[in-house]
């Protein structure tokens, strides 16, 4: 299913705890997740080099949370360089020693300004550890993406239920036509059989009762071949199972894939055995509705 979610988490400069206040963050991680339709789970992770070691853990999080879909994770980590913090005494002492050494060797050099001293202290400060923040941001992002996909899933279920009801209506239209078509084709077969016998003079030496019995046997066999009542019964059974799965919820995408294939098979058989224009039209409309269901089912996890 399609969806998008993002989440951020940060580490505080003193406690290292996650916090949502940007004013006290020493580092911030933002995780973005994008999901598009796919029959299988396809993961793509785009991480900065300094956080590449977290890829196995992030993949495990996504694999546990999702079963289908092409999912892309983007991770951005940054330090809060805009935060003004007083440099540590050790940093200033070391900086003073370095400046004295430089001025002793290069007397013409200008002393370091306050701004340059602060920039040097920030650049030499240890980078914040963002592992825990990354894990927390990924967890929040996964929860939000699952919620987004669940909302889309509810819409897809409503669409699929509409298609199920449309197929039920088409099957209800076809059911009373089946005996009529069978009887009409049987009468037509007998008429053509009798015409063929009369034209060939087949009554020579062959009892009329035997010819009539053979004609009825052939007509019955033909009627069985064009009877689609069994296909309509199986189609109704598949529709009942699809409706039950949709109401039940859970991970049902692959089971629905199989049932859609079975629906398509029954609709194809209905069209191939159809001996009347009305049943052919119903078969075509069924195939259209089933194909629409197939496209939507690929979006369901």
């Amino acid at each position: 299913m399609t969806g998008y979610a993002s989440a951020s988490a940060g580490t505080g400069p003193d406690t290292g705890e996650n916090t949502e206040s940007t004013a006290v963050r020493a580092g911030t991680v933002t995780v973005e997740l994008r999901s598009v339709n796919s029959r299988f789970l396809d993961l793509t992770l785009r991480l900065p080099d300094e956080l590449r070691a977290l890829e196995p853990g992030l993949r495990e999080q996504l694999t546990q949370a999702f079963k289908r879909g092409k999912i892309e994770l983007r991770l951005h980590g940054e330090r809060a360089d805009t935060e003004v913090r007083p440099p540590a005494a050790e940093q200033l002492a070391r900086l003073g020693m370095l400046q004295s050494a430089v001025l002793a060797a290069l007397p013409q050099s200008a002393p370091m300004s306050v701004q340059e001293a602060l920039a040097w202290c920030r650049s030499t400060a240890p980078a914040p550890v963002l592992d825990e923040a990354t894990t927390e941001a990924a967890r929040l992002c996964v929860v939000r993406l699952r919620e987004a996909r669940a909302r889309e899933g509810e819409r897809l279920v409503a669409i699929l239920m509409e298609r199920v009801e449309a197929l039920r209506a088409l099957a209800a239209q076809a059911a009373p036509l089946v005996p009529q078509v069978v009887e009409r084709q049987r009468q037509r077969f007998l008429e053509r059989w009798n015409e063929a016998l009369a034209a060939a003079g087949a009554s020579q030496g062959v009892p009329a009762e035997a010819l009539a019995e053979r004609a009825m046997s052939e007509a019955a066999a033909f009627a069985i071949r064009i009877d689609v009542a069994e296909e309509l019964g199986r189609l109704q059974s598949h529709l009942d199972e699809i409706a039950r799965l949709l109401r039940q919820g859970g991970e049902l995408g692959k089971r629905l894939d199989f049932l859609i294939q079975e629906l398509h098979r029954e609709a194809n058989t209905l069209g191939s055995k159809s001996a009347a224009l009305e049943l052919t039209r119903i078969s075509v409309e069924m195939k259209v509705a089933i194909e629409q269901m197939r496209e939507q089912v690929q979006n369901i996890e």
Side-chain angles (χ1 to χ4, degrees):
M1 288 181 285
T2 58
Y4 171 83
S6 65
S8 299
T11 57
D14 299 322
T15 63
E17 296 176 351
N18 292 336
T19 176
E20 291 297 327
S21 173
T22 57
V24 297
R25 285 180 181 172
T28 303
V29 174
T30 300
V31 176
E32 293 181 295
L33 283 174
R34 291 180 174 86
S35 172
V36 295
N37 305 330
S38 177
R39 294 184 62 188
F40 307 99
L41 183 61
D42 182 7
L43 301 179
T44 301
L45 278 68
R46 305 188 185 279
L47 312 178
D49 292 339
E50 61 271 20
L51 297 175
R52 184 66 64 183
L54 302 178
E55 181 171 343
L58 294 173
R59 282 189 178 274
E60 184 178 358
Q61 274 188 290
L62 297 176
T63 302
Q64 291 177 352
F66 305 106
K67 302 302 180 185
R68 301 180 77 178
K70 186 175 182 180
I71 299 176
E72 179 183 357
L73 181 147
R74 288 181 178 270
L75 193 152
H76 311 282
E78 60 182 16
R79 294 178 56 189
D81 292 330
T82 57
E83 180 186 358
V84 179
R85 299 172 56 200
E90 294 81 3
Q91 288 180 311
L92 293 176
R94 184 183 178 195
L95 182 58
M97 292 174 57
L98 292 173
Q99 179 174 244
S100 299
V102 170
L103 291 176
L106 302 172
Q108 304 298 325
S109 300
M112 184 179 294
S113 67
V114 174
Q115 182 177 1
E116 291 171 338
L118 290 174
W120 186 87
C121 290
R122 284 199 301 268
S123 65
T124 57
V129 179
L130 299 178
D131 295 19
E132 293 183 3
T134 301
T135 302
E136 177 64 13
R139 185 190 67 80
L140 291 173
C141 200
V142 165
V143 170
R144 293 171 185 175
L145 182 60
R146 286 177 62 90
E147 292 173 351
R149 285 161 60 110
R151 289 191 294 270
E152 184 186 5
E154 293 175 358
R155 294 192 292 269
L156 291 178
V157 167
I159 293 173
L160 288 172
M161 290 299 291
E162 290 179 2
R163 298 294 183 272
V164 167
E165 294 306 318
L167 287 170
R168 289 189 195 278
L170 289 171
Q173 294 176 25
L177 295 176
V178 172
Q180 300 174 16
V181 170
V182 170
E183 179 60 24
R184 187 164 63 240
Q185 290 300 115
R186 190 181 70 85
Q187 293 294 336
R188 186 179 302 171
F189 180 86
L190 289 175
E191 291 173 2
R192 292 181 178 178
W193 175 274
N194 292 329
E195 291 174 0
L197 289 178
S203 59
Q204 299 175 359
V206 181
E209 294 80 3
L211 291 175
E213 184 179 350
R214 176 66 183 275
M216 291 298 295
S217 176
E218 293 290 340
F222 180 74
I224 292 174
R225 288 197 301 271
I226 67 170
D227 188 5
V228 293
E230 185 177 349
E231 284 74 14
L232 289 176
R234 287 197 297 265
L235 188 140
Q236 287 283 14
S237 176
H238 297 329
L239 291 175
D240 291 341
E241 180 63 11
I242 290 174
R244 186 189 69 81
L245 289 174
L246 291 175
R247 288 191 295 266
Q248 171 185 305
E251 297 177 6
L252 44 82
K254 293 183 179 179
R255 283 180 288 178
L256 289 178
D257 279 338
F258 172 75
L259 289 170
I260 293 298
Q261 292 177 7
E262 294 301 307
L263 283 180
H264 202 273
R265 181 179 291 109
E266 302 304 339
N268 272 335
T269 306
L270 177 64
S272 63
K273 294 174 68 173
S274 175
L277 184 61
E278 300 94 328
L279 288 177
T280 302
R281 176 189 60 80
I282 290 174
S283 172
V284 171
E285 292 184 9
M286 281 184 173
K287 291 179 183 179
V288 171
I290 292 169
E291 190 59 33
Q292 292 171 344
M293 291 180 70
R294 186 200 301 275
E295 294 175 359
Q296 298 298 339
V297 162
Q298 291 181 359
N299 302 339
I300 294 181
E301 184 168 315

